[in-house]
Amino acid sequence: MSRAHAMSDDQVAGELKKMTAFIRQEALEKAKEIRLKADEEFAIEKSKLVRQETAAIDSQYEKKFKQAAMSQQITRSTLANKTRLKVLSARQELLNELFDKASKKLPQFTKDKAKYQDTLKKLILEGVYALNEEKVLVRARKQDYDIVKKAIADAVKEYKEKLGQDVAIEIDEKNPQPEACSGGVSIVGGNGTIDINNTFDERLKLLETDALPSVRTTLFGKNENRRFYD
């Protein structure tokens, strides 16, 4: 049986050197592996953070852009409404002025007695036809009683000629029209329960209501924003 030879100091040193080199190489490779993995994880995390920050910035920008757009839209709408209200106000002032002037001119229609008498007759007949009663009352200004009596006579005659019927028309002297009234009459039937107001003032009010759309169109043109008409 052979005896194992003891290693010399040089051999031991050589083996140790080899082992040290191996361990060192293993450590270097492990360190490199760790570094590569760390760099990879860092790159992934960095990319993730960049995407998150980019998304946050995009979201904030989009939010601010929407807020700015909404603010601009509200400002435009507010300005448009203010402008529209100013235009409507100016138009309404003009219309009010127009009808105010017309109201002041109403008393002039009573100066021509012949025309005024004919107008009264037509206003009386309009009420009589609407009431269709055998007896009606007419309310007028006290200062118009004389001409109203003539108009009543003309109305009774025309009513008879057109319908072949008699109608009794009397002035209601207990309830005259106020002196501030511009003219015209009201025709009362139904034992005082029905009052057809055909005074000039009331007819102008009706005209202001009924003819206002056409007056607007005549003065200012067709409203392009209006979709529905009566």
Side-chain angles (χ1 to χ4, degrees):
M1 190 171 182
S2 59
R3 179 181 294 179
H5 296 284
M7 296 179 66
S8 66
D9 291 340
D10 292 338
Q11 288 177 328
V12 171
E15 288 298 323
L16 288 173
K17 187 175 182 181
K18 287 179 182 179
M19 290 178 64
T20 301
F22 176 78
I23 293 171
R24 183 174 182 276
Q25 184 64 32
E26 284 289 320
L28 289 173
E29 290 179 357
K30 190 66 176 178
K32 183 179 180 181
E33 182 182 343
I34 293 172
R35 185 171 61 251
L36 289 174
K37 188 175 181 181
D39 289 344
E40 183 180 353
E41 290 179 352
F42 173 76
I44 293 173
E45 189 65 24
K46 178 182 178 182
S47 177
K48 181 180 177 181
L49 289 173
V50 169
R51 286 197 302 270
Q52 289 177 346
E53 288 299 320
T54 302
I57 292 172
D58 289 343
S59 177
Q60 290 178 2
Y61 173 78
E62 183 178 1
K63 183 179 180 181
K64 290 181 178 180
F65 178 80
K66 287 182 178 180
Q67 289 176 343
M70 181 63 70
S71 178
Q72 187 179 40
Q73 184 177 355
I74 292 173
T75 301
R76 286 180 178 176
S77 178
T78 302
L79 289 174
N81 285 335
K82 286 183 178 179
T83 302
R84 179 174 174 273
L85 289 174
K86 286 182 179 179
V87 171
L88 290 176
S89 178
R91 288 182 175 182
Q92 190 60 46
E93 286 180 7
L94 180 58
L95 290 170
N96 291 341
E97 183 180 351
L98 176 66
F99 283 104
D100 185 56
K101 288 181 178 179
S103 178
K104 291 178 181 179
K105 288 183 178 181
L106 287 178
Q108 297 179 9
F109 293 102
T110 65
K111 292 182 179 180
D112 189 325
K113 299 304 179 183
K115 288 184 178 181
Y116 186 39
Q117 181 177 326
D118 185 63
T119 299
L120 289 172
K121 180 198 72 173
K122 292 176 180 177
L123 293 174
I124 293 170
L125 281 172
E126 183 179 296
V128 172
Y129 288 140
L131 292 171
N132 192 27
E133 297 182 9
E134 294 181 356
K135 183 178 180 180
V136 299
L137 295 175
V138 170
R139 291 173 180 168
R141 300 184 304 178
K142 289 182 179 180
Q143 64 197 70
D144 288 338
Y145 279 176
D146 289 340
I147 196 169
V148 169
K149 289 177 182 178
K150 295 177 182 178
I152 288 175
D154 294 339
V156 170
K157 180 180 178 182
E158 186 171 325
Y159 187 85
K160 176 73 172 179
E161 291 174 351
K162 289 189 175 182
L163 299 184
Q165 298 177 4
D166 292 323
V167 61
I169 306 175
E170 297 179 359
I171 296 178
D172 183 5
E173 296 187 4
K174 293 181 180 180
N175 299 288
Q177 295 290 349
E179 294 302 319
C181 176
S182 299
V185 294
S186 61
I187 303 87
V188 182
N191 294 321
T193 60
I194 304 174
D195 186 346
I196 300 176
N197 194 334
N198 271 350
T199 60
F200 287 171
D201 305 277
E202 186 64 23
R203 294 301 288 260
L204 182 61
K205 288 181 182 178
L206 292 175
L207 178 64
E208 185 174 354
T209 302
D210 297 339
L212 193 56
S214 60
V215 172
R216 279 202 188 99
T217 301
T218 301
L219 292 176
F220 311 117
K222 184 178 179 181
N223 186 352
E224 298 296 335
N225 296 322
R226 187 175 182 183
R227 297 182 179 181
F228 303 100
Y229 294 86
D230 296 333

